[in-house]
Amino acid sequence: MAGILAWFWNERFWLPHNVTWADLKNTDEATFPQAEDLYLAFPLAFCIFMVRLIFERFIAKPCALGLKIQANGPQKAQPNAILEKVFTAITKHPDEKRLEGLSKQLDWDVRTIQRWFRQRRNQEKPSTLTKFCESMWKFTFYLYIFSYGVRFLKKAPWLWETRHCWYSYPYQVLTSDLHYYYIMELAFYWSLMFSQFTDIKRKAAKMANYAKCQRLCDLLFVMFGLLFISTRLGLYPIWILNTTLFESWEIVGPYPSWWIFNLLLLLLQLLHSFWSYLIIRITCRAIAKGKVSKDDRSDIETSSDEEDSPPSASKSGHNSTTNGTNGYLSGGVYSEEH
């Protein structure tokens, strides 16, 4: 294990030339970031996860019930042993050939079988109450950490004098406020590792949608869009990428990890551009329809009977109302019904 750690923390990969880990040891006069600090995030992540469970149970849920958000889920499919066996053991999305076979076996029309599979798939989806509680937890944490960051990070001199920062790199003193901020952020995202398989991946503005506050939902989406595009396509490349790519190259010079970090930052900028394109497209569709449509960045979500319907028509001659790929209504903008 010691050999693996020594290889991973190779000084010539992580640090600029003529700098060693020994140069960054803490002293009585100054405190520097240490690799061991990263280990603090793991136990803290578990604590955050437990706080989340308490928050959702005793704070978010009462708020949701106060807003008349129901805990009941979608309509359940009627029990059927044959269809249940196909659903659990073979496929949740039967093709036309299998639908026709089941139709003959059960003496049901294809449309009824399609509806049964849609209802059965919807049964496995969380209720609106669950989604609201999760969104409220993430909204609360992000609001807290953002407020903390604005309050304390704005005092950091290197935040405003980025060029002068590189002259002392990497000998930059770590303050307690900055240490707390980054460890909390890291621990929070590690805590999501515990719940990533059950999270619904909703945004905070979804709470307004779940509470049937359409105008508030539209307003929050507009605010989010303006802030996202201005910071990701304006502030991020002009301020952040400029200093990490050009000022650091001029003052410190490149080294192996420099290439890795800047490549990741450039990749993030590509994602920002793609997400901004989706936001602009949603906005254009919203203007055309008069309200904010479904967020294309989110996973597919609906509890209506038309969700997930197959692309093919049934043998009874009914045409599907969706394009069969992801449940979007053809010829119109998606609107959530829950």
Side-chain angles (χ1 to χ4, degrees), residues 71-309:
N72 58 303
Q75 180 182 357
K76 293 185 178 181
Q78 70 178 87
N80 186 287
I82 296 176
L83 295 181
E84 185 68 26
K85 183 177 181 181
V86 173
F87 183 87
T88 56
I90 302 177
T91 178
K92 298 180 180 180
H93 299 267
D95 55 21
E96 182 177 4
K97 183 177 180 180
R98 189 175 299 278
L99 287 171
E100 291 178 352
L102 291 171
S103 176
K104 295 176 181 179
Q105 184 177 359
L106 297 172
D107 195 25
W108 289 10
D109 63 81
V110 172
R111 186 67 175 177
T112 301
I113 298 176
Q114 288 176 329
R115 184 178 298 109
W116 188 95
F117 275 93
R118 286 196 297 271
Q119 292 176 348
R120 183 63 181 84
R121 287 192 294 267
N122 287 336
Q123 283 181 216
E124 300 187 342
K125 296 187 177 181
S127 66
T128 303
L129 177 65
T130 301
K131 291 181 285 188
F132 180 92
C133 292
E134 178 187 319
S135 295
M136 187 173 179
W137 159 250
K138 292 184 177 179
F139 170 79
T140 303
F141 177 83
Y142 288 137
L143 180 63
Y144 162 73
I145 204 68
F146 173 78
S147 302
Y148 182 91
V150 169
R151 180 183 176 186
F152 290 101
L153 295 184
K154 68 179 181 180
K155 302 177 182 178
W158 48 264
L159 189 64
W160 311 106
E161 301 293 338
T162 57
R163 185 175 183 86
H164 295 292
C165 161
W166 294 109
Y167 287 108
S168 60
Y169 181 82
Y171 307 103
Q172 294 159 350
V173 177
L174 178 66
T175 64
S176 58
D177 296 332
L178 188 63
H179 182 267
Y180 171 81
Y181 178 84
Y182 279 104
I183 292 298
M184 280 293 292
E185 283 276 25
L186 182 60
F188 174 75
Y189 285 105
W190 270 117
S191 73
L192 296 182
M193 294 294 291
F194 301 131
S195 59
Q196 64 171 321
F197 301 107
T198 57
D199 283 351
I200 303 103
K201 299 178 177 62
R202 297 287 111 198
K203 301 296 179 282
K206 287 290 183 179
M207 292 189 297
N209 192 23
Y210 299 147
K212 308 300 181 182
C213 301
Q214 186 62 45
R215 290 186 178 180
L216 178 59
C217 181
D218 294 348
L219 176 62
L220 290 174
F221 180 82
V222 171
M223 294 174 57
F224 161 75
L226 292 175
L227 287 173
F228 187 93
I229 294 176
S230 61
T231 54
R232 268 63 170 191
L233 299 187
L235 188 64
Y236 180 77
I238 294 174
W239 193 357
I240 305 300
L241 289 183
N242 177 64
T243 188
T244 61
L245 284 172
F246 303 110
E247 293 179 352
S248 66
W249 178 287
E250 177 184 348
I251 299 173
V252 179
Y255 48 95
S257 64
W258 182 95
W259 294 99
I260 300 297
F261 291 139
N262 278 287
L263 179 62
L264 293 175
L265 292 174
L266 290 173
L267 178 61
L268 181 59
Q269 181 59 46
L270 292 177
L271 292 175
H272 287 164
S273 301
F274 175 69
W275 292 330
S276 298
Y277 158 74
L278 293 180
I279 293 172
I280 294 173
R281 189 175 73 170
I282 295 170
T283 303
C284 292
R285 293 165 64 183
I287 293 174
K289 295 292 291 185
K291 66 178 181 178
V292 174
S293 63
K294 174 183 163 298
D295 188 344
D296 285 349
R297 297 170 301 119
S298 305
D299 53 338
I300 303 307
E301 173 193 37
T302 180
S303 59
S304 66
D305 282 344
E306 270 57 18
E307 184 197 14
D308 296 327
S309 63

Side-chain angles (χ1 to χ4, degrees), residues 12-112:
R12 298 284 57 82
F13 176 82
W14 294 105
L15 300 177
H17 303 295
N18 302 321
V19 179
T20 66
W21 294 119
D23 298 327
L24 300 177
K25 290 295 184 181
N26 293 330
T27 64
D28 295 335
E29 294 78 19
T31 301
F32 298 103
Q34 303 295 313
E36 295 78 10
D37 294 340
L38 298 176
Y39 302 144
L40 297 175
F42 294 104
L44 185 57
F46 179 76
C47 295
I48 291 178
F49 180 71
M50 299 305 297
V51 170
R52 170 184 176 169
L53 296 180
I54 297 173
F55 177 90
E56 291 185 355
R57 175 64 179 86
F58 296 103
I59 299 179
K61 186 176 180 179
C63 290
L65 295 177
L67 293 171
K68 310 300 183 183
I69 296 177
Q70 302 298 320
N72 58 303
Q75 180 182 357
K76 293 185 178 181
Q78 70 178 87
N80 186 287
I82 296 176
L83 295 181
E84 185 68 26
K85 183 177 181 181
V86 173
F87 183 87
T88 56
I90 302 177
T91 178
K92 298 180 180 180
H93 299 267
D95 55 21
E96 182 177 4
K97 183 177 180 180
R98 189 175 299 278
L99 287 171
E100 291 178 352
L102 291 171
S103 176
K104 295 176 181 179
Q105 184 177 359
L106 297 172
D107 195 25
W108 289 10
D109 63 81
V110 172
R111 186 67 175 177
T112 301

